[in-house]
Amino acid sequence: MISFVLSLIALIVGFLAYGRFVEHVFGPDDRPTPAVAHGDGIDYVVLPSWKIFMIQFLNIAGTGPIFGAIMGAWYGPVAYLWIVFGCIFAGATHDYLSGMLSLRNDGESLPELVGMYLGKATKDIMLLFTVLLLMMVGVVFVYSPAIILHGMCGSQMLWIVVIFIYYIIATMLPIDKIIGKVYPLFAFSLLFMAVALMIGLFIKMPNLPELWSDLGASNLNSNPAWLGADSYMSKNPLFPCLFLTIACGAISGFHATQSPLMARCMKSERHGRPIFYGAMITEGVVALIWATVSMYFFYYGGWREVVPADVVKEFMAQADGGKSLVQFFTAPKVVQFVCSNWLGVFGGVLALLGVVAAPITSGDTAFRSARLIVAETIGVEQHSIRRRLYVCIPMFIAAILLLLWQMENPDGFNIIWQYFGWANQTLSVFTLWTITVYLVKRKKCYAITLIPALFMTTVCSTYIFVSKQFLGLQNWVGYGLGIAVFAIACVWFAWWKVKKSSTCSCSKKPE
């Protein structure tokens, strides 16, 4: 528990100290916000800051800080380090500055911001890339909650239809009609789940892996052959795969597509740090809790405590056939068993509501973001329902086709999730470079995003080289090429900065 407690304290200190430093670098002031200057009653609507925080937290959470942390826990306590350092110095910084940059530019969407600072060609690439990512988010976040709800009651297809109908309604209506009223309740459910599980950890004080633990020697109650984590990690090496597996709990490019939605609802720039930086730190806490619970579940026999006897019997039978603990107890199953056993009937239902609501609400805001981005690009105003339908109908038809393919393909979900993970982190690379260019041009401390930008550029490029989904090169070759990409990025940035140093172009970009 020592590593968990230290990590929890570090996240809180990170918000109070480093978050304030990042806020100081940006310099919020009292100028009118887009919601005040351009209120339209549809997407630009002033909302209370506490409500915006809850919506932002739910929008960016999804299943990422839960499912990603569960799968990231297979790598052991090193996951703590990525969650803590990634969240404080990369993810929360990325979310805050991308949200504030949108706020300073009339609530512009991510592709527009990228175009302002990285050029039109990059904007066009990002436009296609962002819309495809948002479509994948919507599809993935239909399927995963449907699996969980199917385990509780009803058929999987029924829940898919219900969730899609909700998506259509929520995407079309003004932001304060459903999102502004229902999301805070769902956010509370997700926060309740996290707090309740954390209390459960302190009450039970289970034997947990520490940063200095030898997991191979201290695997007390699980047969290492059953665990299967070694096999998983041999196919998915810690670098770069850990940094793609745990995304939403550390850094996620998807968040930069959601922050403009809330930038269009804020009354004051000074609310930015608790809303954007604070929501990301909160998500990091959720990821930290689930990583801890999952390490106990997989490495220290916690699964024997929470899994019903009949399921244990089923697993034992399949283990004889070669199925590992990791393969059998997927992330949704871990959530279901842990919440039901640790939190009781009422707590389990409320916790599962939060786990189900998080991906659904992230999915509908993903489609909403896609609608606004496409509408801005083709110049279709969104005040009338008829014109909103012009954008939504083709978008939902494409999403349904992608979903049908996923359901027909036995490994469809895993394929989409893997490509989503890489695309998600690649999007964060473009966002970090955009913010870095902005900070350089404003003569501000650009190192706070340059270092994460270089790191994530190396992670995403190395994944292309070593992953079986892409080139599948030998690790030593992929790592060498990843280092080469890092060097090229450093040289490119130094050359660009020297070239720009003789000319001050600050006035060319709106503040």
Side-chain angles (χ1 to χ4, degrees):
M1 288 288 285
I2 298 175
S3 299
F4 169 70
V5 172
L6 291 176
S7 299
L8 187 62
I9 293 172
L11 286 174
I12 297 171
V13 173
F15 170 75
L16 296 174
Y18 195 73
R20 191 170 295 279
F21 169 70
V22 172
E23 179 184 47
H24 173 73
V25 169
F26 183 82
D29 56 34
D30 296 318
R31 71 186 67 192
T33 62
V36 174
H38 309 295
D40 63 0
I42 304 293
D43 299 302
Y44 290 80
V45 180
V46 174
L47 295 175
S49 58
W50 70 268
K51 186 175 285 189
I52 298 175
F53 167 83
M54 299 292 268
I55 297 172
Q56 173 74 2
F57 168 65
L58 201 60
N59 283 355
I60 66 175
T63 52
I66 301 171
F67 289 5
I70 291 172
M71 292 185 286
W74 299 341
Y75 292 95
V78 69
Y80 287 149
L81 297 179
W82 173 230
I83 291 172
V84 171
F85 290 106
C87 192
I88 294 172
F89 298 107
T93 302
H94 164 281
D95 288 11
Y96 173 77
L97 291 174
S98 63
M100 297 304 289
L101 195 56
S102 176
L103 197 63
R104 282 281 173 93
N105 289 277
D106 292 330
E108 291 283 11
S109 59
L110 181 61
E112 294 294 328
L113 297 175
V114 171
M116 288 179 188
Y117 296 97
L118 299 186
K120 186 179 184 302
T122 310
K123 171 191 171 182
D124 293 339
I125 295 172
M126 278 300 299
L127 178 65
L128 178 62
F129 194 84
T130 302
V131 172
L132 288 175
L133 174 67
L134 291 170
M135 296 285 285
M136 282 193 289
V137 169
V139 171
V140 166
F141 288 170
V142 167
Y143 200 62
S144 55
I147 293 173
I148 297 175
L149 289 168
H150 168 57
M152 298 170 64
C153 64
S155 69
Q156 185 171 294
M157 180 56 71
L158 172 64
W159 285 115
I160 288 175
V161 172
V162 169
I163 293 170
F164 241 109
I165 291 174
Y166 166 77
Y167 276 1
I168 295 172
I169 296 172
T171 302
M172 295 284 295
L173 289 178
I175 197 166
D176 60 334
K177 299 304 180 186
I178 291 182
I179 294 176
K181 289 182 170 60
V182 179
Y183 276 35
L185 175 62
F186 288 151
F188 169 78
S189 299
L190 190 59
L191 290 172
F192 168 84
M193 171 208 65
V195 172
L197 289 176
M198 183 171 63
I199 293 172
L201 284 171
F202 283 112
I203 292 175
K204 293 176 179 291
M205 293 295 289
N207 192 3
L208 296 173
E210 304 288 357
L211 286 167
W212 49 87
S213 297
D214 180 355
L215 294 182
S218 60
N219 191 354
L220 303 180
N221 297 303
S222 295
N223 185 323
W226 289 353
L227 184 61
D230 289 338
S231 174
Y232 174 85
M233 286 184 283
S234 66
K235 297 178 182 178
N236 301 274
L238 187 148
F239 186 89
C241 294
L242 171 65
F243 306 97
L244 297 171
T245 303
I246 302 180
C248 292
I251 181 173
S252 167
F254 170 68
H255 297 182
T257 69
Q258 301 303 290
S259 294
L261 294 179
M262 296 299 97
R264 295 165 180 167
C265 299
M266 292 169 58
K267 187 177 181 180
S268 170
E269 285 191 355
R270 301 187 188 279
H271 298 157
R273 184 170 69 96
I275 289 173
F276 297 125
Y277 201 98
M280 184 62 224
I281 291 293
T282 305
E283 186 174 13
V285 172
V286 173
L288 189 70
I289 291 169
W290 273 106
T292 304
V293 170
S294 302
M295 278 185 264
Y296 172 58
F297 184 96
F298 287 114
Y299 282 99
Y300 283 80
W303 63 277
R304 296 179 182 274
E305 174 188 323
V306 300
V307 176
D310 59 327
V311 179
V312 172
K313 185 177 180 181
E314 180 184 354
F315 164 66
M316 297 293 284
Q318 295 196 29
D320 290 339
K323 198 157 193 176
S324 70
L325 199 69
V326 165
Q327 290 174 316
F328 184 83
F329 292 109
T330 59
K333 287 184 178 179
V334 173
V335 171
Q336 182 179 354
F337 292 137
V338 169
C339 288
S340 299
N341 186 279
W342 282 27
L343 306 181
V345 176
F346 174 75
V349 170
L350 190 57
L352 287 173
L353 175 63
V355 174
V356 168
I360 292 176
T361 51
S362 292
D364 74 50
T365 50
F367 281 122
R368 189 180 193 91
S369 297
R371 170 177 69 81
L372 291 168
I373 290 171
V374 172
E376 289 171 2
T377 302
I378 62 178
V380 177
E381 60 86 10
Q382 296 292 281
H383 292 176
S384 66
I385 293 179
R386 177 170 57 87
R387 292 185 179 274
R388 276 174 257 163
L389 284 171
Y390 289 162
V391 178
C392 286
I393 290 176
M395 183 174 67
F396 278 110
I397 290 175
I400 290 171
L401 292 175
L402 182 60
L403 178 63
L404 290 174
W405 173 85
Q406 174 185 278
M407 294 173 63
E408 289 295 323
N409 189 324
D411 202 34
F413 177 81
N414 290 332
I415 292 173
I416 291 180
W417 185 268
Q418 289 165 353
Y419 280 110
F420 160 69
W422 173 81
N424 184 34
Q425 298 301 63
T426 301
L427 191 63
S428 74
V429 171
F430 282 96
T431 306
L432 287 167
W433 281 114
T434 298
I435 301 168
T436 301
V437 171
Y438 163 80
L439 292 174
V440 169
K441 291 187 173 184
R442 299 296 170 190
K443 300 187 182 299
K444 297 182 178 182
C445 181
Y446 58 84
I448 61 175
T449 52
L450 174 62
I451 294 172
L454 289 170
F455 179 75
M456 293 308 300
T457 298
T458 307
V459 166
C460 293
S461 58
T462 303
Y463 186 78
I464 292 177
F465 300 136
V466 303
S467 171
K468 297 297 187 291
Q469 277 69 48
F470 291 95
L471 299 180
L473 303 176
Q474 294 185 14
N475 286 353
W476 68 271
V477 176
Y479 290 157
L481 292 173
I483 292 172
V485 170
F486 171 80
I488 291 171
C490 290
V491 171
W492 169 83
F493 177 77
W495 171 81
W496 173 84
K497 190 172 183 301
V498 169
K499 183 180 177 182
K500 292 291 183 182
S501 62
S502 59
T503 306
C504 179
S505 56
C506 297
S507 60
K508 296 181 181 179
K509 304 297 180 185
E511 266 285 359

